[in-house]
Amino acid sequence: MNAWEFLTSGPEQTQLLAAHLAKLLKAGDLIILSGELGAGKTTFTQGLGRSLGVREGIISPTFVLVRIHPNRPDGHNPGGPDLVHVDAYRLATPGEIDDIDLERTMDDSVTVVEWGVDRVEHLAASRLEIELVRAVGGDTAAASGIPETLDADDASVDLDALFAGSFDADEDCDEPRTLRLSAIGPRWEGIDFSVLGQPMTTTE
């Protein structure tokens, strides 16, 4: 397992980091998000989804458990994977996860599961685990090193339009966050996560 820590100053940087991560993703990838209530899990997923070019309207799926956001053929990433957004908070066991039949959509989608630790690891041989933690002790993100723009291949993406004013209202994310990313399994061997920015720490 390889692990990195990144520091973001607020929702814009959290979504920008997610946008850079989206460029490494493909259909079949599984992301498990953890963190306390209000840590920014849905805000992160919004940035991910916009960069993937899926249908807008990403909100917490708490009461419906699963929301599917199809790729937009008229968007900036036509032909990309769909996004399946899951809230596993009320699902106590892997068996209850199986009941919502995520295997049906995984091959064609990027699957993001909030509160998925110890619940969904059996769905894929490889996964990314991302924990969002509110920074303490006066930390700032001045040295986070997260690139302010997407790469040259993404020149068609209007970042102002991508992120402007669209954060989850239920998440208290207007403060620094530490994002702890762990890459597990053969899918992620040799993948260069430096495109996300300069990490605070790295463990390999």
Side-chain angles (χ1 to χ4, degrees), residues 50-198:
R50 291 190 190 94
S51 187
L52 288 172
V54 303
R55 186 179 63 196
E56 298 177 358
I58 295 175
I59 60 174
S60 176
T62 300
F63 297 106
V64 297
L65 301 182
V66 180
R67 293 185 186 273
I68 299 175
H69 300 272
N71 179 266
R72 293 177 53 192
D74 60 343
H76 63 265
N77 186 36
D82 299 338
L83 174 67
V84 176
H85 187 198
V86 183
D87 189 316
Y89 184 76
R90 294 186 296 164
L91 303 177
T93 67
E96 290 180 326
I97 293 290
D98 291 340
D99 288 342
I100 60 176
D101 197 19
L102 292 179
E103 282 101 340
R104 178 177 56 85
T105 58
M106 283 197 68
D107 287 346
D108 300 318
S109 308
V110 170
T111 302
V112 177
V113 185
E114 299 186 22
W115 306 101
V117 174
D118 295 329
R119 292 175 171 89
V120 300
E121 290 87 348
H122 66 291
L123 293 176
S126 300
R127 62 189 182 274
L128 296 179
E129 295 184 357
I130 301 174
E131 180 184 13
L132 292 91
V133 181
R134 291 176 177 173
V136 296
D139 288 337
T140 67
S144 63
I146 297 170
E148 292 298 323
T149 60
L150 298 178
D151 60 39
D153 293 337
D154 302 305
S156 63
V157 180
D158 182 345
L159 288 176
D160 290 336
L162 199 62
F163 303 122
S166 50
F167 310 114
D168 194 279
D170 295 328
E171 295 192 346
D172 179 18
C173 53
D174 191 19
E175 60 185 21
R177 291 289 189 273
T178 298
L179 282 78
R180 298 171 179 161
L181 184 152
S182 300
I184 300 166
R187 158 76 172 94
W188 299 107
E189 291 178 2
I191 299 296
D192 182 9
F193 286 95
S194 67
V195 298
L196 306 186
Q198 181 63 43

